[in-house]
Amino acid sequence: SLGGIGPTLGDLGTARDYAVTFGWRLGPGGLFDLGRRDLGDARIRQSEIRIEQTRQRGGEEGRSARAGLEAAVRMLEWARQGVADAEEALRLNRERQAMNIGLPLEVLQAEDALTRARLDYLQVAVEHNQMQVRLHGALGR
């Protein structure tokens, strides 16, 4: 703008002009848009619900994996005992056959039982390891 403060044009150097403008929009997409605010609140609530569901699912998976691991530990012990029992049965049947009391078929059956017991033990050991991995995954490790 042209003008001055004082009697001469030379006073224009001391004059300053400042302008500040504010703008906003009213209604949809602007100030007081309640629908937009409600939509934002709804999205926040949905996120909170998803977080809680994930937390609960993780807790359920952890409890399930822990119970599975405990069962696998018991089964592993039973399978280990089954192998020991089958080895003892084979030893006894071999002794009986050596003394001409037992039949060769009994030794073969004991060997077959030992093989099955060892295979069962291996299968249970694999399941035990899988349960450990599942538990570690459920715990986030």
Side-chain angles (χ1 to χ4, degrees):
S1 61
L2 188 61
I5 301 176
T8 64
L9 234 86
D11 288 337
L12 285 178
T14 60
R16 302 278 192 264
D17 288 334
Y18 296 97
V20 177
T21 57
F22 293 99
W24 60 84
R25 187 173 162 180
L26 297 175
L31 196 59
F32 305 115
D33 186 358
L34 301 179
R36 189 168 154 193
R37 189 188 73 206
D38 291 344
L39 178 63
D41 290 345
R43 286 182 179 158
I44 290 171
R45 183 68 183 132
Q46 284 177 339
S47 297
E48 290 170 348
I49 290 171
R50 276 192 229 112
I51 289 170
E52 185 59 31
Q53 286 173 339
T54 302
R55 186 175 292 127
Q56 288 178 357
R57 192 170 37 248
E60 290 170 8
E61 288 175 5
R63 285 187 295 276
S64 174
R66 183 169 284 122
L69 182 60
E70 290 171 0
V73 167
R74 285 191 302 273
M75 290 176 62
L76 192 61
E77 185 56 39
W78 292 336
R80 188 176 292 131
Q81 185 61 45
V83 170
D85 292 346
E87 288 173 342
E88 179 66 14
L90 178 60
R91 186 186 66 76
L92 292 174
N93 279 314
R94 282 183 177 160
E95 286 178 4
R96 287 171 40 97
Q97 185 185 11
M99 295 186 307
N100 290 327
I101 300 172
L103 300 172
L105 180 62
E106 292 172 342
V107 173
L108 291 175
Q109 288 173 339
E111 287 174 347
D112 184 49
L114 178 59
T115 301
R116 278 186 275 123
R118 286 178 175 163
L119 288 174
D120 289 344
Y121 176 79
L122 289 176
Q123 182 178 354
V124 170
V126 167
E127 290 173 4
H128 175 264
N129 291 340
Q130 289 172 340
M131 286 295 162
Q132 284 182 325
V133 169
R134 185 174 162 215
L135 179 61
H136 284 284
L139 296 176
R141 296 182 187 158

